[in-house]
Amino acid sequence: MKKKAIQNANGITICDSIVMSVKKKRPNFRKLESVLIAVIGFTSVIMSFLGMFEFEYDAGKVAIAAVLFSAFYITLILIARKALWIILYSIGVFAFAAYKMIDKITDGFKFVYNVIYKDSFNTEINYYKYVKPSMEEESVTVLFIFAIWLMAIVIYFFTIYRPNPILPLLVTFPVIEIGLYNGIEIPIFWGIMVIAYWLALLSMSTIDIGEYSGGTSGFVRKDNLFFPKRQMKLKVTEKCGMYIMAVILAVAILAVTILNAFDYQRSDEINKKRRDISEAFNEFTLEDLAASLSRITSAFGFTIDYENNKLGNKDHITYDNTTDLVVTVDKKHNCAIYLKDDVNSIYDDNEWSQLDSDEYDSEVFDDFSNNGIFPQDFPSLFSRLIDPQVNELSLLIDSKVKKSRKFCPYGTDNFGGLSYNRDKLVSSLDDKEREFNYKFVPINIDYVAANLTPPARTVFSSSAVSDHNWLTAITDMCRKYSLYTYDDYFPVDLEIPVDQDSMYMNGQYLAAELLEDRYNKFVYDNYLQVPDNKNMDEVRAAYSDILDKAAQAKTAEDKVAVLDAIRKRMADDCKYTLSPGKTPSNRDFINYFLIENKKGYCIHYATSGVMLARMAGIPARYATGYIVVADDFSVENMNPDGSYTIDVQDNRSHAWAEIYLDGYGWVPFEFTDGYTSRPVGNAPAPPEPGPDPPRPTEPDPSVVTTTSPQALTTARSAITTTTAAPNGGNSAVNSGTGTPGAASSTHKHSGFKMPVWLKTVIVTFVIAAAAVGFILLRRKFITNKRRDQFTRGAGSNRIGHMYLYAEKLLDTLQLKNDSSNYTGFAENVEKHIGGSFIEKGSFEKFMEIALRSGFSGVQPSQEEIESCKKLVDQLSGSIYARSGFFRRLWLKLINALV
Amino acid sequence: MFLTKLLFIVLIIICAAFYVLYIWDFALVLLIVMIAIPVIMFFSVFITKKLISAEFALKNDTVAKNEPFPVQLCINNRSILPIGKAEVRIEYYNLFSNQITSFDLFVPIQARNSQRVTFQLNSRFCGIINIRTVYINIFDPLRIFRFRIGKGISAQISVMPEGHEINGTVNYTDRVNEESSMFSENKPGDDPSEVFDLREYIPGDKLNRIHWKLSSKKDDFIVKDYSLPIDVPSTIFLNLKCYEDSEYTLPVFDTLIETLISLSQFMLENERMHNVIYYSSKYKNFIEKTINAPDELAELVKEIIDSFSDNLYCKGPEDYLYDNSLSLASFIFLSSVPDGAVLPFIDENIDADIKNAVLVVRSVNEAAELTDSFSNLNIIPVVIGRITSSIKDIEL
C-alpha cells in the first residue's frame, strides 16, 4: 500500500511534552564551561594584541580593569533575568563615559596608531604628529580600558548568555587583524587561542541555533519538531566548545613542538611567492583591470596568457632575475648582439602592430621565396661584399621562455636550415623547439654606413654572369621586371662599390642586389608611416631642428648622423628610469614621453626613435627581444674551447629600433640612453666621434640599482640592472602582507637545533609508529569485519564467509582447492589434518553444509552455523598453536587470520 | 552541511594564502590546525558512531484506546565525545492504516552516558501501533560531518478496542446441541434433562411439570422448571478484508472490531455461546474460536489484533463460506461493505434460523443507501463510532 504522511489522520497523537533523563547524573557545569570559554577568548584577544606591539600604558590598571569588567559581566550574565537590564544600563554608562573622555580616547588612539604604524612600516616617523609624549601612558591606558570594557560586554554576553559569533568576531577580529595585515608577529599561543575561541563559539552557536530560552528543562514543540530549550541542563553545547578548544590547542602544541624540533625555516620559494603576490596587489588598478587580474593570478601560480600590448600601461617594471636564454657564442664579440623575437611596423593608439598581411602580397616576396634570398640575408651578403674577410660568428640560443618565442640575431647567414618570417625574423629549423643555431656576421653600423655610397646605377649583362647557379634566377628577374634595356643588359643600383667581375662570378650577390632594389621600394612605401595627428605634429615641431636637417642627408653616414642627433637629443631631454609612471589613457605614448613626462625606459626610447627616424625620412621598425652586451664576454663566461656561454636574464629583455640602410638592409639602432649598438674596446672605431657619454641614471627611491662597471669614453655599454625591492633590503624576505616598504627584517628562527642523528631517530620512530598503528588498525578492521560476517546476515552468507576463511587458513598449511572438486578437497583436508588440527570428519560435514547452503538455497539451521563456526575457530586456533613465534606474528598481524 | 563544508574549504584556502603572505610561524601553525580540525572531527565522530546504540523501550505491550502511553528512545553513548545536537526522525503509524506520521527531535547526547527521551502517544483507534526511527543523525561539534545511525529501530504496541452496549433479542431456537450439558443459569427452558428450578404451582403450568414427590411432602404443588440449553450453534463471521484503502480504513476497522466485541459481549450476557470465524494473517488461514466466557473473548481480540501484519492481507469471506456448509441457529456476518455476491450467497445458502449482516459504514447517508432486499438476511448498518445507536434491536 502507498504510504503517505498525514498529520494525525491515523488517529495517533503525540503529546506536546517530551522529557529527557540520563542514567548517570552529573553536575551541571554548563555555565562554568561557558564562562571558561569566554574568559579564554577575552584574555587571548587582549594578550595577542599586546603581544604584537609595545605600548606605553599602565599595565596594572589595565589588568585590574580587565579583571573587574570580567567579574562584573560574568556575574550579571550568570544571574541573568533582571540582571541583564544592568548590562543594558552599563552600555549606556559606557557610551556616556566614552563621550566624556573622548579626548583622552582619541589621544590614546593616536599614540596606539603611531606605534602600529612605526612597527608596520619600520620607520621612526609618527603617523600622528602633535601628540604630547607625556600624555601617552595615560591616554593609552584610558583607551585600553574602554576597549576592554566594550570587549567584555560583547564577549561575555554573546558567549555565555547567547552564543553568537557575529558580534564577538566583529569586535575581536580587527584587533588581531591590524597586526596580522601589517605582518607583525603575533604570539603563537594567544593567537591560536583566539582562533580556538572563535571556532568554539561558532560550534556553540550552531548547536543552539533557533532554540528558545526560558526554563531549564524540557523540549519545545514547533509543529513536528521538538527541540530542547537553550538552557536545558542536560545539553552539552559548552562541552563541544571545550572539545574544540582542546583539539586546537593540542594540535597547535604538537605543531609548534615539531616545528621547533626540526628547526623549520620558511622556504625561499614561498617568500618569493609572497613578494610576487604583494607586488601584484600593489599594482592592481581598475583602469587596467585585465592586466591587474592577470598579474594577480600569475602571482598565485595560475598563468593566464594575457598580453596587454598597450604601451605605457605599467607604472614600473620589475625583474625576477631568472635566466631566459642561454647563449653560446664561439668567439668574443665587442658589440652588442641583438636577439629579436618580434618586429612591428604600425604605431597607432599607443600600440605597435604588424603590417596588414595584404601588404605582403607584393611580388617581391615571391621572389624572395623563389630565390631563397630574403631581406634578413642582405646584411650578411652585403657585408661580404664590403669586406670578403668579414668575421663570422656561430651562435647557439637555448631558450627557457615559452615555446612560441623564437630568437634570431642580425646578419644571419643562410647556411641552410633557416625559416624566414616575411622580412622580419629568422629561425633555425632545429629538431628541438627551444634551441636555435645560427651563423651571423656582426654589424657595425658606422663601418657599414661609411662604406655605403649613394646609389650608383651600374649596368650588367646576363650573358656575362659566369655563376650558372644564379644565371637563371637573374635572367628571370630581369624579364619579370622588364629590366633589360638593351639586349641582355640590365641596370642595378649599387650602394656598395664593387668589382663588376666579382659580381659576375658570384651571382648570388647580383641576385641579392636585384632583390634589394625591388625591396627598397617596398620599405619606403611601408616603413615610413607616421600617424597624422596633432601629437606627432608637436613631436615633429619639438625635433624640427634635427628633422629639418635630415632632409639634406644623402649618404648613409648622414642618415646615421641624424639618428645619432635624435639619440643625443632624447638622452639630453629625457631621463632613463624603470619607474616612469603610466601614460595617461588620453595621451599619446610618444608625445607624453618626449614632451611631458620625459622619463622612460627602452620601450619609450625605441618607440620614439622609430617615429623620429621615420619623420626624418629614414625607414624604421620597432623590435623587441633580448640583448647581449660586450661586457658579457667576460672571463667568467668563457669556456675552455674559447667560446662564451652567457646566461641572459630577464632584465636583458629589450626594445630597440631597426633602421633600413639603402643597399644594405635592416640594422639595429640603439636610441635608449645607456645602451649602444656600437662596438667597444678594440672594435673598429666609427668614422665620426660617437655620441656623448650618457648621463648615469637616477634610480627611483624604491628601486635598488646595481650598475655594472662603465666601459670606454666613447660609449658606455654598461647595463643598468635593477631589481625592484623595498628600500633597505635586497631580494630577501619582506614582512607584511601587501604593504610596500614594510619592515624588511628577515625572520630568523631561534629554535633548538637538533642533531641530524636525533632527527633520523625521531623520523624513524614516527614512521615505525605509523606502520605499527596501520598494521594494528588493519587487523582490527579485518577481524571486526570477519566477526560481523560470521554473526550477521543470512545463514548461507555466513557459511560462505566461513568457508572462504577456512580456505585461507588451509592455504597456510599448503592445502589448496585448485579444482572445483569440493568433495575431493574436503577428503584431502580430512586426510591431512583430520584428527590433528580439527576433529575427524568435521571438515567434510562443514563442506556438506557449505555446499548445501551455497547451491541449493536452503538456509542452514542455527546449529549448523554454530558447528561451522566452531570448526573454523578450532582450525585457526590449532594453526596458531602449532606455529612458531614469527609465524604467529605473521598470521596475526600481517595476514590477520587469527 | 554542505555550506559548512564549503566554508571550511574556503577557510583552509584563506589560511593557505595567509601562510604564503605572512612570514611568521603563526600562519603555518594556523594552517596545520585548520587542516587537522576536519580530519580530527571526522575520525572522532566516526569512532563515536561505532560506540552509540539506540533502542525503543515500552512499558507495556498493550494499552487501551485513548489512553496515553509512554515511549522511550534510549540512546547509549560509550564514547568520550558528546554530540551537541543529534537529529532524530521518528515515525509512527497504525498497522491497519496506510498513514504515517513523523516528527523530528533534536536531542543532545552526553558522553559516556545513557539518556532516555520519553514521549507520549495516544491512539484513537485500536490496532497495532508501530514506532520506528527513520534516522538518527549525529554531527561533529562544528557540524561538518554527519553520520547516520539507528535506522529502522522499532517497537510495537497493541491498542485494545472497547466494547459497547447494544440492544437486541436472543431467541430460543430448536437447533440445540442435544448432547451438550450447557444450560442457562438465568433462564428456564424446556429441556427436561436438567431441572433449572423448583417453584410453586402457578395455574397454567403443565401437569407433567409437577414434582409429585416434593408436592406430597409440601402441602402445595411444586413445579419443575426445565433448563434452557444454551449450546446453540451461533457464529459470528468476522470479515477483515479491506475493500477500500482510504482514510476511513482505520475507523472502519476499529468499529468492526468493537462491533465484534459488542456483539460477542451481548451474546455472552445472554448466555449464548458462539463461534467467531476470522482470517488470521499469522496462520494464513481461517480460524474458528469458541467463545464461552469474556476472557476467551479478550484473548480472541488480542489474537486478531496481533495476527495482523503490515500488508493487511486478508482472504475474502467467499473463500470460507463457499467451501463450508453451515447449519446454525444464528449467523452474523460482520464486515465493512463488501463487494460481489457475498450477501446474496449468505441470504440463499447459509442455513441459519436468523441471519444478520452487520455492515460498518462511514456515515448515516451510506447506511441509508444500503438496501434490505434480502428475504432471509437482516442488514444492520453500523456507522463508524456509533455502535450503540446503530445496533438497537438485533435479533439473534
Side-chain angles (χ1 to χ4, degrees), chain A residues 1-15 17-24 26 180 183-188 191-192 195 199 202-203 206-209 211 219 224-228 232-236 239-240 243-244 247-248 251-252 255-256 259 264 266 270-271 273-274 277-278 300 733-737 745 747 749, chain B residues 7-8 11 17-30 32-34 36-37 40-41 44 68-69 72 80-85 92-95 97-125 129-130 132 141-143 242 245 247 250-251 310-312:
Chain A
M1 278 190 239
K2 192 177 170 182
K3 300 276 188 187
K4 299 188 289 185
I6 300 174
Q7 174 64 22
N8 292 337
N10 53 16
I12 308 172
T13 51
I14 181 168
C15 297
S17 68
I18 288 187
V19 174
M20 180 167 148
S21 61
V22 292
K23 190 174 179 184
K24 294 179 196 170
R26 296 184 181 128
L180 294 179
I184 306 299
E185 184 180 9
I186 186 172
I188 293 180
I192 289 296
I195 303 296
L199 286 176
L202 177 68
S203 159
T206 312
I207 291 170
D208 282 352
I209 194 167
E211 292 177 358
F219 287 73
N224 272 352
L225 172 64
F226 292 84
F227 55 87
M232 190 168 95
K233 286 179 189 169
L234 298 175
K235 285 190 71 178
V236 292
K239 279 198 173 49
C240 293
Y243 175 73
I244 295 278
V247 165
I248 291 174
V251 172
V256 170
L259 289 177
Y264 163 77
R266 228 169 115 92
I270 293 177
N271 289 332
K273 183 66 71 177
R274 188 187 63 76
I277 294 171
S278 301
F300 276 101
V733 171
N734 270 346
S735 67
T737 56
S745 60
H747 167 63
H749 189 85
Chain B
L7 172 69
F8 245 83
L11 271 177
F18 180 58
Y19 166 61
V20 171
L21 295 173
Y22 187 74
I23 64 166
W24 306 107
D25 285 347
F26 171 74
L28 178 59
V29 174
L30 179 62
I32 292 170
V33 164
M34 292 308 287
I37 281 183
I40 293 173
M41 292 294 113
S44 57
F69 56 94
Q72 284 186 338
I80 58 168
L81 177 71
I83 304 295
K85 182 158 69 179
Y92 50 87
Y93 59 95
N94 192 321
L95 276 183
S97 162
N98 63 353
Q99 289 143 0
I100 298 177
T101 308
S102 64
F103 69 94
D104 292 322
L105 177 64
F106 290 168
V107 58
I109 301 178
Q110 293 197 351
R112 300 189 75 81
N113 207 341
S114 180
Q115 42 255 309
R116 289 172 181 251
V117 179
T118 306
F119 53 94
Q120 303 247 356
L121 295 177
N122 182 337
S123 177
R124 199 151 52 93
F125 304 112
I129 309 297
N130 200 12
R132 66 180 182 205
L142 288 170
R143 295 181 86 80
C242 178
D245 187 7
E247 62 199 45
L250 187 56
D310 216 344
N311 61 6
L312 292 185

Side-chain angles (χ1 to χ4, degrees), chain A residues 477-496:
Chain A
M477 271 196 281
C478 290
R479 285 198 192 106
K480 184 175 175 182
Y481 294 109
S482 305
L483 294 177
Y484 286 125
T485 52
Y486 172 72
D487 197 12
D488 65 347
Y489 289 92
F490 59 93
V492 176
D493 292 327
L494 294 177
E495 287 83 2
I496 299 171

